[in-house]
């Protein structure tokens, strides 16, 4: 079954083999997350609870669904 309502936020994470980033639906709006970059590593946490939702290779970013178009800020411009 397909969700009829869009996710409040999307986490874009790089894939190890290159190409466009993977998209992970998040349950809260973008402003509810903290993104911390440490070198090539990124950690994304829920701001209030500090629960980690991503801890891996970066860069990663949390976007609003309206920002999702054919290219993202992680994608190389054509």
């Amino acid at each position: 079954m397909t969700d009829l309502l869009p996710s409040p936020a999307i986490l874009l994470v790089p894939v190890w083999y290159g190409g466009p980033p993977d998209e992970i639906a998040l349950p809260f709006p973008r402003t509810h997350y903290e993104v911390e970059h440490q070198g090539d590593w990124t950690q994304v946490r829920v701001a209030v609870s500090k629960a980690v939702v991503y801890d891996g290779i970066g860069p990663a970013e949390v976007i609003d669904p309206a920002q999702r178009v054919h290219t993202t800020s992680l994608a190389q411009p054509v």
Side-chain angles (χ1 to χ4, degrees):
M1 185 166 146
T2 305
D3 291 335
L4 298 177
L5 298 174
S7 172
I10 296 170
L11 173 60
L12 299 177
V13 297
V15 291
W16 65 269
Y17 51 82
D22 279 340
E23 297 180 356
I24 300 169
L26 296 174
F28 305 118
R30 181 182 56 81
T31 55
H32 287 65
Y33 297 93
E34 299 172 339
V35 179
E36 182 181 340
H37 302 283
Q38 295 178 356
D40 292 337
W41 208 255
T42 300
Q43 189 174 77
V44 179
R45 296 178 299 276
V46 178
V48 174
S49 69
K50 305 301 183 200
V52 175
V53 294
Y54 178 76
D55 188 27
I57 59 170
E61 67 178 316
V62 178
I63 64 168
D64 290 320
Q67 290 178 278
R68 189 173 77 191
V69 291
H70 295 293
T71 60
T72 68
S73 60
L74 291 177
Q76 296 298 319
V78 177

